[in-house]
Amino acid sequence: MTRPLLNRRLHGLGTSIFAEMSARAVATGAVNLGQGFPDVDGPPSVAQAAATAIMTGHGNQYPPGPGIPELRAAVADHQRRCYGLAYDPGTEVLITAGATEAIAAALLALLEPGDEVIAFEPYYDSYVANIAMAGATRVPLTLRPPAFRPDLAELESLITARTRLMLINSPHNPTGMVLTRAETEAIADIAKRHDLLVVTDEVYEHLTYDREHIPFATVDGMRERTVSVSSAGKTFSFTGWKVGWVTGTPEIVNAVRTTKQFLTFVASGPFQYAVAEALRLPDEYFATLASDLQTKRDLMAQGLSDIGFEVYQPDGTYFITTDIARLGEKDAVEFCLGLPERAGVVAIPNAVFYDDKEAGRTQVRFAFCKRQEILEEALSRLEVLAY
């Protein structure tokens, strides 16, 4: 690929909004409710497993390309335990440098220049870059407030002869929407009728509050056409470890692995041993994680509503989307750029996740994966905005 062509594909992407807003948080001393990472570490037993791996020489050198056998087996066990899905850890599981690399490798492996990819809008920012780097075209299905449910008739109308796959994120970042079983099955039916692949970003699979997560691979006829992606960062609160995985048929996993080897090759050696232990934590761990985050979601939803934000309560994830129009504000980007100095809080403008900037112009996303006292401090600071 020539440099001019690559530059045209990536034109306008610029610096990640997360990097920019996190830098503002540091510079101003603001409470950072922008980027989605916890402010406490995950289970001590998992951290100790990583330390033990390092000190005993497990993973300090290059791990196997597909991932260590122990983690591939643990991922397969997790899929069977949680969803009744059977995967061969030797041929149907691939370990990656987080879900971000998994999605990039999947899209680069499965797309050709000129292909079209249907994705929910607003979309996580790396999707835009990944599709552009593959030379494909993104086709947005816009999710609209207050519920951000997908319009299935509109989804089918977007399919053309060039449509190659659907990139589905549920639980959905940034809106917190979680697909219902009926929606999942309807989208799966569309994929089967039009012979489409589905790449699913399921990193928030254990962070749901009002409905259960239904993996596409559990729907009849979808296992062979689904690339399932998840990771350890969100579930176990070790986002810096960057351990993710892909599950799918041997043909799909081999295609993704072929691309992945030219991205990071391998990564996170000792942490792979720790994540293998984490995936075997008892069911109580996952239930407590969701319950604690639901309490924080409810705290933020009520507090933001009391201040004057219109609040769209999420079904899952770390995030809560709001609308600032009731506060007399008209542009979320300007609002968020000024918020650190004005109120000592950092948030993310949802407009950066849209092609149609007008659709998200007054939407602002807050992360609530922080300690309760931090959330309370942020709400206290935001009271200066109250109408």
Side-chain angles (χ1 to χ4, degrees):
M1 184 186 303
T2 65
R3 181 167 293 180
L5 176 57
L6 180 61
N7 287 342
R8 285 199 300 272
R9 287 185 182 174
L10 300 181
H11 176 69
L13 295 181
T15 303
S16 164
I17 185 66
F18 305 111
E20 181 176 352
M21 297 309 294
S22 290
R24 284 177 177 265
V26 172
T28 62
V31 176
N32 189 354
L33 302 187
Q35 195 166 2
F37 59 85
D39 57 357
V40 294
D41 289 341
S45 63
V46 177
Q48 182 59 56
T52 298
I54 291 171
M55 295 307 297
T56 56
H58 288 83
N60 293 334
Q61 310 306 325
Y62 294 137
I68 64 167
E70 293 88 341
L71 180 53
R72 284 181 281 142
V75 170
D77 289 346
H78 170 270
Q79 297 298 82
R80 182 181 300 106
R81 166 187 167 190
C82 295
Y83 309 119
L85 289 166
Y87 288 102
D88 180 341
T91 61
E92 298 185 312
V93 179
L94 173 67
I95 306 306
T96 60
T100 301
E101 186 197 38
I103 294 165
L107 295 179
L108 290 169
L110 301 173
L111 293 172
E112 297 289 342
D115 285 345
E116 293 179 349
V117 179
I118 298 174
F120 292 157
E121 180 188 46
Y123 20 59
Y124 183 60
D125 64 344
S126 77
Y127 299 171
V128 175
N130 296 159
I131 294 169
M133 286 189 287
T137 300
R138 63 185 182 273
V139 178
L141 176 68
T142 304
L143 307 178
R144 303 187 185 280
F148 297 103
R149 313 303 321 167
D151 183 325
L152 300 178
E154 181 182 358
L155 171 61
E156 188 145 22
S157 75
L158 297 174
I159 296 172
T160 72
R162 294 190 300 275
T163 306
R164 171 65 170 160
L165 60 82
M166 291 189 284
L167 175 54
I168 304 295
N169 175 207
S170 177
H172 181 256
N173 175 14
T175 70
M177 180 275 297
V178 177
L179 291 173
T180 66
R181 181 176 294 277
E183 288 167 338
T184 302
E185 291 176 348
I187 294 171
D189 182 62
I190 291 171
K192 288 182 285 187
R193 285 192 284 106
H194 292 275
D195 193 24
L196 303 178
L197 295 170
V198 176
V199 176
T200 65
D201 178 351
E202 305 178 41
V203 299
Y204 296 99
E205 60 185 313
H206 291 293
L207 279 61
T208 63
Y209 318 122
D210 300 316
R211 55 174 53 92
E212 64 177 332
H213 169 62
I214 309 296
F216 273 83
T218 63
V219 179
D220 288 346
M222 286 303 294
R223 187 187 185 282
E224 59 268 29
R225 65 176 66 245
T226 301
V227 185
S228 301
V229 173
S230 194
S231 73
K234 303 302 191 294
T235 298
F236 301 110
S237 299
F238 289 112
T239 58
W241 289 6
K242 299 301 292 182
V243 180
W245 50 84
V246 172
T247 54
T249 65
E251 295 78 13
I252 285 174
V253 168
N254 186 59
V256 178
R257 179 186 174 189
T258 300
T259 299
K260 179 259 188 301
Q261 68 184 338
F262 296 110
L263 296 176
T264 62
F265 179 51
V266 294
S268 311
F271 300 129
Q272 292 190 31
Y273 290 91
V275 173
E277 295 292 326
L279 284 170
R280 295 192 171 98
L281 288 171
D283 292 348
E284 180 183 2
Y285 168 79
F286 300 97
T288 299
L289 173 71
S291 177
D292 288 348
L293 282 166
Q294 183 170 350
T295 298
K296 294 175 180 179
R297 177 203 66 174
D298 294 346
L299 170 69
M300 284 297 292
Q302 186 61 58
L304 291 168
S305 179
D306 289 346
I307 290 166
F309 291 85
E310 183 174 2
V311 174
Y312 306 124
Q313 184 154 295
D315 303 319
T317 76
Y318 278 165
F319 308 110
I320 189 163
T321 291
T322 66
D323 194 290
I324 57 175
R326 288 181 179 175
L327 296 171
E329 302 286 346
K330 298 180 179 179
D331 188 283
V333 173
E334 292 183 5
F335 175 84
C336 288
L337 289 175
L339 195 60
E341 290 80 10
R342 185 178 174 189
V345 175
V346 162
I348 297 293
N350 276 16
V352 301
F353 305 130
Y354 285 86
D355 287 340
D356 178 4
K357 303 303 182 186
E358 288 302 318
R361 180 165 297 279
T362 55
Q363 293 176 17
V364 172
R365 190 196 79 174
F366 294 90
F368 55 83
C369 51
K370 313 295 180 180
R371 287 169 289 151
Q372 183 165 325
E373 59 266 31
I374 297 299
L375 299 179
E376 291 171 345
E377 172 63 21
L379 289 171
S380 176
R381 295 184 181 194
L382 290 168
E383 286 178 358
V384 301
L385 308 174
Y387 54 59

